[in-house]
Amino acid sequence: MKANFNIMNLVRENVKALSPYRSARDEFEGEASISLDANENPFDHKNLNRYPDPYQRKLKQKISELKGVKESSIFLGNGSDEAIDLLIRAFCEPLEDSILIFTPTYGMYQISADINAVETVEIPLTNDFQIDVESASKIDAKVTFICSPNNPTGNDMDTQIVESILRTSKGLVIIDEAYIDFSKRKSWTERLEEFPNLVVLQTFSKAYGMASIRLGMAFANEEIVSILNKIKPPYNVNGLTQNYALQALENKEAVLSEIDTILQERQGMKMALLKLKEVRKIYPSEANFLLIEIDRAKVLYQHLAEKGIVVRDRSSQVEHALRITIGTPKENKTLIENIKAFYA
Ligand SMILES: *Cc1c(COP(=O)(O)O)cnc(C)c1O
């Protein structure tokens, strides 16, 4: 447990002082037989004429069972990208506070910070893509982002190092677990009670196959969740999304079986790539993609794109590197054939 930690000391003054918008759905909770409070069209359009639950209670109930986190510790957003933005907005004073990131990593942390006029302090990851604790401990950031498994490198961050950052940081520590379902390790959600400054981000966009519905999760102590709820757009998760997710989560087995296939394919793709002499390096991956260093990466990227196969050119972040998402068995086979043909 972290001693003497008061989250309210980190919140921006204007956010603390804010009295949030109260929607019709806030003023009256419960089941009304006649709803004449929200200026909605009264005629039934598959219930889509009604505003959705601003706090997504049914969906949170389901997610609470799924993830083993209590409902009051769950925030839902329009993708986890919304949670990233709201966290910066709630806690970082523009032109004054900073966020800390470990690069190369997911691009949205810095972009959200830039949009909010918040400075980004970057510490490069070590050669094996771990966090340099020594350097990290010297930075006093309001919000620290740790992406684990990390995008685009694919590795998990060392548990001891993350723990030491959680203990020593005076600010919030956000652990982005967008790829946790592909990793062998346990989620940091299990340690929310221990660290009042911890926020864990997860998403339905990757393993769960629902990128299009835009649904992201932030898990944190109730105080942090209340602050995010206070500043979010009232109906940030639309009704179609809430309903679709509720239904889809009934069939968890399908997702687990797809994850299984993706993990097998990841291994298969790795074996196939290892046979190519042009492949210089394949980084260990706990995610649904491989980061590889390969001869003439940029030219290969172009060649594949012309064939209609799009991978991600990450050579600006890691020299000679491409990031390849694991596809269906058939797609992966086609990719490998095309890479072979390119070098032949
Ligand atoms: C894809 C990704 C996200 C985005 O998630 P959404 O829920 O779709 O907004 C967040 N973090 C990382 C590291 C990602 O790779």
Side-chain angles (χ1 to χ4, degrees), residues 209-249:
M210 297 184 235
S212 177
I213 72 170
R214 310 304 304 131
L215 183 61
M217 298 159 272
F219 303 104
N221 77 46
E222 299 174 16
E223 265 183 313
I224 297 176
V225 169
S226 311
I227 294 157
L228 295 177
N229 279 333
K230 193 173 174 188
I231 68 168
K232 82 185 180 72
Y235 304 108
N236 63 326
V237 178
N238 73 68
L240 291 168
T241 292
Q242 294 186 41
N243 290 337
Y244 184 89
L246 257 176
Q247 266 188 357
L249 292 179

Side-chain angles (χ1 to χ4, degrees), residues 62-310:
K62 187 87 203 160
I63 292 173
S64 169
E65 290 164 26
L66 183 75
K67 302 285 180 182
V69 175
K70 58 181 195 285
E71 288 156 54
S72 55
S73 282
I74 303 174
F75 171 83
L76 298 180
N78 185 342
S80 42
D81 284 348
E82 183 179 37
I84 293 169
D85 175 68
L86 291 177
L87 284 160
I88 294 174
R89 249 191 302 160
F91 293 95
C92 297
E93 199 57 43
L95 308 177
E96 201 173 294
D97 291 329
S98 55
I99 66 161
L100 173 60
I101 63 172
F102 305 100
T103 52
T105 192
Y106 185 52
M108 279 308 287
Y109 313 135
Q110 168 141 31
I111 291 179
S112 280
D114 286 349
I115 292 169
N116 289 297
V118 167
E119 188 199 354
T120 300
V121 179
E122 256 183 72
I123 296 179
L125 292 167
T126 60
N127 285 338
D128 55 352
F129 294 141
Q130 288 296 330
I131 294 169
D132 174 3
V133 229
E134 196 46 39
S135 314
S137 67
K138 293 186 186 117
I139 308 293
D140 184 15
K142 208 60 170 301
V143 176
T144 298
F145 285 94
I146 297 176
C147 189
S148 179
N150 187 37
N151 179 3
T153 62
N155 61 298
D156 265 323
M157 294 301 152
D158 181 89
T159 302
Q160 312 280 298
I161 293 176
V162 173
E163 193 167 327
S164 102
I165 292 174
L166 277 163
R167 285 190 200 291
T168 54
S169 175
K170 293 193 199 78
L172 284 191
V173 178
I174 320 290
I175 304 182
D176 186 343
E177 293 188 335
Y179 300 97
I180 186 67
D181 305 284
F182 303 106
S183 168
K184 288 183 289 292
R185 74 161 169 85
K186 287 182 177 162
S187 169
W188 282 93
T189 52
E190 292 190 0
R191 305 189 62 182
L192 285 170
E193 302 285 335
E194 220 174 312
F195 300 107
N197 59 338
L198 168 62
V199 180
V200 179
L201 301 180
Q202 292 185 10
T203 179
F204 287 106
S205 296
K206 306 285 158 64
Y208 280 81
M210 297 184 235
S212 177
I213 72 170
R214 310 304 304 131
L215 183 61
M217 298 159 272
F219 303 104
N221 77 46
E222 299 174 16
E223 265 183 313
I224 297 176
V225 169
S226 311
I227 294 157
L228 295 177
N229 279 333
K230 193 173 174 188
I231 68 168
K232 82 185 180 72
Y235 304 108
N236 63 326
V237 178
N238 73 68
L240 291 168
T241 292
Q242 294 186 41
N243 290 337
Y244 184 89
L246 257 176
Q247 266 188 357
L249 292 179
E250 288 299 328
N251 194 1
K252 205 181 133 192
E253 306 313 313
V255 171
L256 291 179
S257 133
E258 285 170 4
I259 293 173
D260 229 46
T261 306
I262 291 167
L263 292 181
Q264 280 173 35
E265 284 296 306
R266 183 177 77 193
Q267 183 60 17
M269 168 109 68
K270 198 168 159 183
M271 301 316 276
L273 288 169
L274 274 173
K275 288 190 190 133
L276 304 180
K277 66 176 189 316
E278 292 84 3
V279 173
R280 304 177 188 184
K281 185 154 194 168
I282 302 175
Y283 286 96
S285 173
E286 298 291 333
N288 65 336
F289 56 82
L290 289 175
L291 187 75
I292 68 168
E293 289 177 26
I294 191 163
D295 291 350
R296 299 164 61 214
K298 269 186 172 305
V299 193
L300 172 62
Y301 169 83
Q302 275 305 333
H303 171 82
L304 291 173
E306 278 158 26
K307 300 277 175 190
I309 303 170
V310 194

